Amino acid sequence: MKGGCLHRLLVHKLCFGLVVLLTVPIVVLLLEGAPVLTIFSTTPGQLKVISQGFLQQQEQEHLGDDGATLAGSPGPASMSRSHKNCNYAKGKWIEDDKQPLYSGNECKQWLSKMWACRMMRRAHFSYENYRWQPHGCEMPEFTGPNFLKRMRNRTLAFVGDSLGRQQFQSMMCIATGGKYSPEVEDVGWKYGLVKAPGALRPDGWAYRFPSTNTTILFYWSATLSELEPLNTEDTVTRYALHLDRPVTFLKKYLNYFDVLVLNTGHHWNRGKFNGNHWELHADGKPVGNGSRLADLTRAKNLTLHSIARWMDSELARHPKMKVFLRTISPRHFVNGDWNTGGTCGNTIPLSNGSEVLQDHSIDIPAENAVKGTRVKLLDITAISKLRDEGHISNSSFKKASTGINDCLHWCLPGIPDMWNELLFVQI
């Protein structure tokens, strides 16, 4: 049954018992340390949880007071963080004259101008000449042809925010070697990725490489949550953001994907929620101001756990598919935020060190979310945190004219290329 043990879960354990009656869709979930739940499904896509106070109980038991982590000790390193016993997030940045993997001047077909620092007024590009070397791990040569060969007859999907879009554009540049590639087909229409009337851009892009029948796509979903219009007849539409329901695009097109990379994080603030007219919902109901889930950190944690467990239930039916939750990309604003004069003017690589030695991710909510699931963690946070010189900073003409520094997004070529190399070695 779609969504098996997912939509209302804040637990960090898997279901240990599962009973399905085919004539009446009833599922009994036995959760370690949790009450027995009976879930009735009127349709395959709708779940109703019958449990008095379950959401509140699990929220209190498994979310810490600071909302950032789950209660309890981290425990042993999760298998979701490694592949063949290798922790790719533990290692060192080293100089490499073979970097970058493509030219920022040439990859104009796929690279947005706002991220192409080679086409800006930036003068320092030493950040391009490093690669990540995990401790004690073999790293196969990462090239466009090698990637396409490995992904023959397969589809790679990125679903997330603008940092996910950066990773998508990085992969397109790597796959084509940064060269103009007229043979690559635009297949966005197959996934409903067409520009709506009056829209600035479509909700995503999808491209197919005919030589290997490889498709790479991106879908924009800043929170990975389902958005439901509440008042379509009003001038300004408000949306119910369902914390415990995955974005509709995933439910519709998941069967077409072989590798999926999810990310969310930087839109979980009141400014973004108010600007987009998003209203928190859980269990099909609005989240009240007095609820613990009204705290956006806790709300994000619920979404991470919900999406990981929904994906785990889907992986039971798609055992060959690989799903990754990418950890959050770090910001490097100093002396303020993006709108209060914050900057990131360092141009010297590795000024804050070059090595990551800890066994666990510093993105604790993401690491906890995938525990006990078949979803893998693509851990890039600590690695990227060492590379503050790789941000766009004040290079963008548009941003510079307003006095705003971009210390969130990265120059391309740049740090997101490494994210894709770590993805490549695990698929």
Side-chain angles (χ1 to χ4, degrees):
M1 183 175 107
K2 198 165 188 175
C5 43
L6 117 86
H7 282 292
R8 310 297 184 259
L9 290 182
L10 280 173
V11 297
H12 60 287
K13 298 291 184 181
L14 281 176
C15 303
F16 288 99
L18 180 64
V19 180
V20 180
L21 303 181
L22 297 180
T23 56
V24 180
I26 301 175
V27 178
V28 179
L29 303 182
L30 307 179
L31 307 175
E32 184 177 32
V36 174
L37 298 183
T38 305
I39 299 180
F40 298 84
S41 178
T42 56
T43 69
Q46 295 177 329
L47 297 177
K48 184 177 181 181
V49 178
I50 310 300
S51 174
Q52 293 294 329
F54 174 74
L55 186 64
Q56 180 180 2
Q57 175 185 339
Q58 295 305 306
E59 177 189 335
Q60 292 173 348
E61 288 182 2
H62 297 287
L63 288 180
D65 290 338
D66 63 358
T69 64
L70 293 182
S73 59
S78 169
M79 284 301 293
S80 297
R81 298 187 61 226
S82 61
H83 178 69
K84 296 181 180 178
N85 300 319
C86 182
N87 184 348
Y88 291 103
K90 188 176 180 179
K92 187 175 184 178
W93 284 103
I94 60 175
E95 286 192 72
D96 185 351
D97 57 11
K98 293 182 181 179
Q99 303 292 323
L101 299 173
Y102 56 91
S103 167
N105 285 317
E106 295 180 355
C107 195
K108 297 176 182 179
Q109 187 177 3
W110 315 111
L111 195 54
S112 296
K113 291 182 179 178
M114 59 185 173
W115 298 328
C117 291
R118 282 281 180 177
M119 292 185 275
M120 299 177 188
R121 59 179 185 175
R122 187 181 180 111
H124 304 278
F125 298 97
S126 55
Y127 64 89
E128 292 182 346
N129 305 126
Y130 290 82
R131 69 174 177 88
W132 179 252
Q133 178 57 56
H135 289 324
C137 303
E138 266 188 54
M139 295 292 284
E141 186 180 11
F142 183 39
T143 64
N146 286 350
F147 166 77
L148 292 175
K149 181 179 178 181
R150 185 168 294 187
M151 288 295 294
R152 181 179 296 275
N153 298 319
R154 302 170 80 190
T155 295
L156 165 63
F158 296 96
V159 177
D161 56 22
S162 58
L163 279 304
R165 185 182 171 198
Q166 284 209 296
Q167 189 173 2
F168 160 74
Q169 291 191 2
S170 161
M171 189 64 90
M172 288 300 300
C173 287
I174 292 168
T176 59
K179 307 297 183 181
Y180 178 64
S181 305
E183 75 281 2
V184 177
E185 302 172 356
D186 184 342
V187 293
W189 59 272
K190 292 184 178 181
Y191 305 91
L193 303 176
V194 294
K195 190 171 76 169
L200 294 176
R201 62 179 70 91
D203 289 333
W205 297 264
Y207 298 101
R208 176 179 171 272
F209 292 75
S211 62
T212 56
N213 189 31
T214 301
T215 297
I216 306 174
L217 71 84
F218 168 76
Y219 180 79
W220 189 89
S221 175
T223 64
L224 302 179
S225 302
E226 178 185 314
L227 291 172
E228 178 188 9
L230 294 175
N231 56 331
T232 55
E233 296 181 359
D234 293 353
T235 305
V236 177
T237 302
R238 295 178 293 108
Y239 296 89
L241 189 149
H242 293 280
L243 298 171
D244 46 5
R245 300 180 192 173
V247 60
T248 304
F249 179 82
L250 285 177
K251 290 182 282 187
K252 187 173 183 179
Y253 294 105
L254 185 67
N255 292 343
Y256 296 93
F257 306 153
D258 299 286
V259 180
L260 172 63
V261 181
L262 304 167
N263 91 280
T264 185
H266 291 294
H267 283 250
W268 293 87
N269 61 74
R270 283 297 167 191
K272 293 291 187 183
F273 269 65
N274 294 338
N276 289 302
H277 310 288
W278 295 336
E279 300 180 6
L280 294 172
H281 280 60
D283 198 19
K285 302 173 185 177
V287 172
N289 291 333
S291 169
R292 290 167 63 88
L293 286 177
D295 178 276
L296 290 183
T297 301
R298 293 188 176 94
K300 182 194 75 171
N301 290 348
L302 171 56
T303 290
L304 290 175
H305 279 258
S306 295
I307 195 76
R309 274 142 187 80
W310 180 76
M311 285 307 320
D312 188 62
S313 70
E314 292 296 316
L315 285 168
R317 299 193 299 112
H318 305 283
K320 293 184 179 181
M321 182 168 60
K322 292 190 176 182
V323 179
F324 297 84
L325 177 62
R326 204 205 73 216
T327 61
I328 196 165
S329 174
R331 296 154 33 106
H332 287 94
F333 289 98
V334 177
N335 298 323
D337 212 324
W338 70 271
N339 58 348
T340 57
T343 62
C344 50
N346 176 45
T347 60
I348 302 173
L350 307 174
S351 298
N352 298 312
S354 62
E355 198 166 10
V356 175
L357 297 175
Q358 71 264 22
D359 292 319
H360 290 274
S361 175
I362 61 174
D363 186 350
I364 299 174
E367 184 177 60
N368 281 332
V370 303
K371 283 182 179 178
T373 75
R374 283 158 283 201
V375 178
K376 296 178 180 293
L377 196 71
L378 185 59
D379 188 7
I380 57 89
T381 307
I383 305 171
S384 306
K385 195 173 181 65
L386 296 171
R387 301 304 306 278
D388 62 316
E389 86 286 1
H391 287 293
I392 293 169
S393 187
N394 62 351
S395 299
S396 169
F397 289 108
K398 182 179 178 181
K399 298 287 186 183
S401 65
T402 59
I404 295 176
N405 284 251
D406 189 346
C407 306
L408 170 63
H409 299 99
W410 304 91
C411 289
L412 291 174
I415 310 309
D417 302 331
M418 175 274 298
W419 306 347
N420 281 324
E421 185 168 8
L422 295 188
L423 175 65
F424 169 72
V425 74
Q426 297 180 75
I427 60 176

